[in-house]
Amino acid sequence: MSCTLPRKKQNAHDGKKQRKSCPKKGKMSTTSLKTEFADRESVDWEESGPKTFFSSLTHTFSEVKRSIRHMRNGPFISFSSFIKACSDYVLLFDRIDNTVLLPIKADMLNCISRLELNKTMSVLAGDSLLAAIQNEVEENKIHGIDSSAQTLIWLLRTLKTMNIFAINLMDMRSSTFRHTNDSFLNAYERVLIRHHSWLAQKMFKAGMKFVSPYETIVRTLIEPKYQGIYFDEMEALLSKECIQYNRDLSDVLEELNVYFTSIGLEV
């Protein structure tokens, strides 16, 4: 998909000069953006409060990351922090509202519900995400279809797919930067495709043509108060917050991947 951005408004001080509709690849000047924001009464760059979907979330994976403590039988990760972060993340699908992503959303919700149910039914005390799985290891139950181990693994696969998609799409260093179809296809082929049936693969690939254009996704993930700013500023805001959020998510996913590898399971 080519980067075709909406034409920008003419500068009030220069009727002929227009802003470039699509910023060049490369590092954007934060100082320059701050200066432009400062010149507009309607926008305060330093103002606290959410600017994008990612800073609007109550629970994030940075909280999960802070909860991690390394123990003898694997890391301690807060169950409650992890489930809350996943539940908030699901709201992303409502914002993007793409048909091809609905199966991923449904899988995430089902996995969250199953993990919560297993936690309720467990006699294990505490707030450890992996305690139930370690118990299943000891009882040789990690391969059960409704086990906490298999449920968490599938949840991690969906998170990893979306994590790769987001970084592919928003990181300027990515070969698929600004290309939604290519970004999602790459993420799908790196994670979920090998776990899907032939029919599911066909359905996913057919649905990829309906993924929203890059410009639409950027505008959708910007908070309403900032919808009036120039597109390159929206892009800079979203890129910064999206990449930071997904770096935290990547760290959590890697921690869990190492654990599952240690007990002989593949994420």
Side-chain angles (χ1 to χ4, degrees), residues 58-176:
T58 304
H59 306 286
T60 67
F61 288 96
S62 65
E63 297 172 10
V64 181
K65 186 177 172 180
R66 288 195 297 271
S67 79
I68 298 175
R69 300 197 303 273
H70 293 97
M71 316 290 282
R72 182 172 58 86
N73 290 330
F76 170 88
I77 299 176
S78 169
F79 178 89
S80 57
S81 293
F82 181 79
I83 292 297
K84 288 175 182 176
C86 289
S87 297
D88 275 14
Y89 186 81
V90 171
L91 298 173
L92 175 67
F93 300 100
D94 298 327
R95 289 283 284 265
I96 297 178
D97 192 26
N98 270 189
T99 303
V100 70
L101 299 178
L102 291 181
I104 296 179
K105 174 186 176 181
D107 282 349
M108 287 190 67
L109 289 173
N110 288 337
C111 290
I112 291 169
S113 296
R114 169 57 62 180
L115 288 172
E116 290 179 318
L117 178 62
N118 288 356
K119 176 72 171 175
T120 301
M121 296 173 62
S122 174
V123 296
L124 299 172
D127 189 40
S128 172
L129 175 65
L130 300 178
I133 297 169
Q134 193 58 40
N135 189 59
E136 290 174 351
V137 171
E138 295 167 3
E139 296 180 358
N140 196 28
K141 294 181 178 179
I142 57 174
H143 298 288
I145 190 170
D146 290 328
S147 66
S148 291
Q150 294 299 320
T151 303
L152 181 54
I153 282 175
W154 194 259
L155 178 55
L156 296 179
R157 288 169 182 164
T158 60
L159 285 169
K160 187 175 181 180
T161 299
M162 295 302 296
N163 177 243
I164 294 171
F165 172 47
I167 293 175
N168 281 350
L169 188 64
M170 297 306 304
D171 191 336
M172 288 187 232
R173 297 168 297 179
S174 166
S175 62
T176 58

Side-chain angles (χ1 to χ4, degrees), residues 27 51 64 106 124 142-143 145 153 195 216 229-230 251:
K27 189 173 181 180
K51 297 179 177 66
V64 181
L124 299 172
I142 57 174
H143 298 288
I145 190 170
I153 282 175
H195 304 291
T216 301
I229 65 178
Y230 288 111
D251 290 341

